[in-house]
Amino acid sequence: MATVLKTTNLVMTSPLPLLVQPAQPGLSLHEVFAEIKALVDEQLYLRGGLVLRDFAVDNIAAFQAFAAAFGSPLLSYEFGSTPRSNVLDGVYTSTEYPPHQAIPLHNEQAYTLEWPMKIWFYCAQAAVQGGETPIADSRKIYQKIHAAIRERFTRHGLMYVRNYGNGLDVPWSQVFNTTDRANVTHYCQNHGIICEWKDDGELRTRQVCQAVAQHPITCDWVWFNQAHLFHISNLAADVRETLLELLDEEDLPRQVYYGDGSAIEDSVLAEIRAVLDEETVIFPWQTGDVMMLDNMLTAHARTPFTGPRKVVVAMAEPYARDNRERFIMDNKIFSR
């Protein structure tokens, strides 16, 4: 059988991500899906991510069909932390932050006890300048974090505190996809989230989550949290100062503590951010690119950009830390 795919490292200095291209121009993802699926089964757990380039991807619906073809229903975006819009069933815009803002490296929904294992990005329109989606190996980040920091984070876990709405963060109705308080309370009770309805009608939640996690298939330990993103030190100094003048700390839109409620030192988060910077892999999007990541093995980010940009996202394979054994039984066991 003639070879229909060719592969190479997209970034010469890193095995992440694997670049996959058609051996013949004009092939669609649908036409060679069986070959792509076999390559994903072989390489995704090793590399952490693949970029599919120069395939015919006519529109977002074709991307949706490709992601869904892997067999797991595409997920809705529940308990999200950033604004997104639904494009098609199971397909969302990437985070709708202003173009001048960077989004730090993170694993999707690592601030919860449940998260998607697979995530796909489709570049429907590359930005004129910037707008890359940098990625990083979460295994290497875990290994590079100073042992004392890693031990403390692992031992205590992390407490994420969120205050919704009031023009400062995403409204709770959008986060929970409902306007019914009872539905929100029920969701929180079922997901280990403490919720508090405040006197002004807004919502505060607290949840203690993991700082590190073990991949259910590869058994690799990964750095898996969003402490550096939720902590107020992530904000520009002037914004941080203004918020603290206007609000008590408990009313900040988002903040994170060690799991016992004690403060995380700014210096510790600075060390963590330095490791993330060291492990960042960056490459320019080309219109039509599709990137597939294992969400636990690989973190992703966004750089500022100019000009129009359209990148959409799909997620699948929900995983809950407490259901590791069931997840392993439902998926092919990985062997090195």
Side-chain angles (χ1 to χ4, degrees):
M1 180 178 176
T3 301
V4 297
L5 302 177
K6 55 183 181 180
T7 61
T8 188
N9 288 349
L10 178 55
V11 179
M12 296 307 297
T13 57
S14 172
L16 175 69
L18 179 67
L19 176 63
V20 183
Q21 296 171 291
Q24 301 176 10
L27 290 175
S28 70
L29 294 174
H30 173 74
E31 288 177 287
V32 292
F33 180 80
E35 289 81 3
I36 292 174
K37 175 67 163 56
L39 186 64
V40 167
D41 290 343
E42 175 188 298
Q43 293 290 328
L44 185 61
Y45 293 139
L46 293 170
R47 303 271 188 154
L50 302 88
V51 169
L52 307 167
R53 176 168 289 173
D54 298 329
F55 292 91
V57 187
D58 294 334
N59 48 41
I60 293 174
F63 164 71
Q64 177 197 46
F66 171 74
F70 283 86
S72 183
L74 301 184
L75 301 176
S76 60
Y77 188 57
E78 293 185 339
F79 197 47
S81 65
T82 57
R84 298 178 187 262
S85 299
N86 185 226
V87 180
L88 293 174
D89 187 25
V91 178
Y92 294 81
T93 57
S94 56
T95 297
E96 296 172 353
Y97 280 172
H100 69 277
Q101 293 184 4
I103 300 173
L105 282 167
H106 62 284
N107 305 82
E108 197 66 35
Q109 296 190 305
Y111 56 86
T112 71
L113 298 174
E114 302 177 16
W115 53 83
M117 290 296 294
K118 300 293 189 298
I119 185 167
W120 294 264
F121 300 83
Y122 168 52
C123 180
Q125 182 177 9
V128 173
Q129 183 176 358
E132 297 91 350
T133 301
I135 55 179
D137 188 327
S138 299
R139 292 169 285 198
K140 291 183 178 180
I141 295 169
Y142 173 88
Q143 293 160 7
K144 280 194 171 184
I145 296 290
H146 191 283
I149 294 175
R150 193 171 62 214
E151 189 279 331
R152 186 171 184 184
F153 270 60
T154 302
R155 174 159 43 94
H156 291 292
L158 295 165
M159 178 190 294
Y160 296 94
V161 180
R162 299 177 62 180
N163 288 279
Y164 307 84
N166 280 328
L168 297 174
D169 209 343
V170 186
W172 60 261
S173 57
Q174 182 177 342
V175 171
F176 293 94
N177 297 318
T178 181
T179 57
D180 189 327
R181 288 191 185 188
N183 289 341
V184 174
T185 300
H186 181 70
Y187 179 95
C188 291
Q189 290 172 343
N190 287 340
H191 291 82
I193 302 167
I194 298 172
C195 69
E196 173 189 350
W197 293 102
K198 300 190 291 183
D199 292 341
D200 62 0
E202 294 294 353
L203 174 68
R204 176 186 295 128
T205 61
R206 294 181 176 86
Q207 186 176 35
V208 176
C209 300
Q210 68 291 318
V212 302
Q214 188 177 28
H215 194 283
I217 304 300
T218 72
C219 296
D220 291 308
W221 284 95
V222 297
W223 191 252
F224 198 75
N225 63 76
Q226 292 192 18
H228 64 292
L229 215 164
F230 270 69
H231 196 267
I232 194 170
S233 62
N234 184 50
L235 299 175
D238 58 336
V239 176
R240 178 178 181 174
E241 183 179 345
T242 299
L243 277 178
L244 289 175
E245 287 176 355
L246 295 173
L247 302 169
D248 294 333
E249 184 172 336
E250 67 174 359
D251 290 318
L252 291 171
R254 59 186 71 186
Q255 178 65 303
V256 61
Y257 306 87
Y258 290 113
D260 61 3
S262 58
I264 303 175
E265 304 85 349
D266 287 8
S267 60
V268 167
L269 291 162
E271 286 193 45
I272 291 168
R273 293 187 182 105
V275 173
L276 294 172
D277 288 344
E278 290 173 5
E279 290 303 314
T280 298
V281 177
I282 188 168
F283 54 90
W285 279 117
Q286 292 184 16
T287 298
D289 282 354
V290 173
M291 179 164 65
M292 180 178 183
L293 303 179
D294 182 294
N295 183 45
M296 288 189 71
L297 299 180
T298 306
H300 62 274
R302 192 201 75 183
T303 65
F305 63 93
T306 58
R309 176 187 187 267
K310 188 168 188 177
V311 175
V312 296
V313 179
M315 297 171 280
E317 292 187 23
Y319 174 71
R321 187 178 59 180
D322 294 337
N323 292 334
R324 183 171 185 269
E325 291 77 12
R326 179 176 179 180
F327 185 90
I328 292 172
M329 291 177 63
D330 290 345
N331 290 269
K332 184 174 71 174
I333 300 300
F334 172 75
S335 58
R336 296 183 184 278

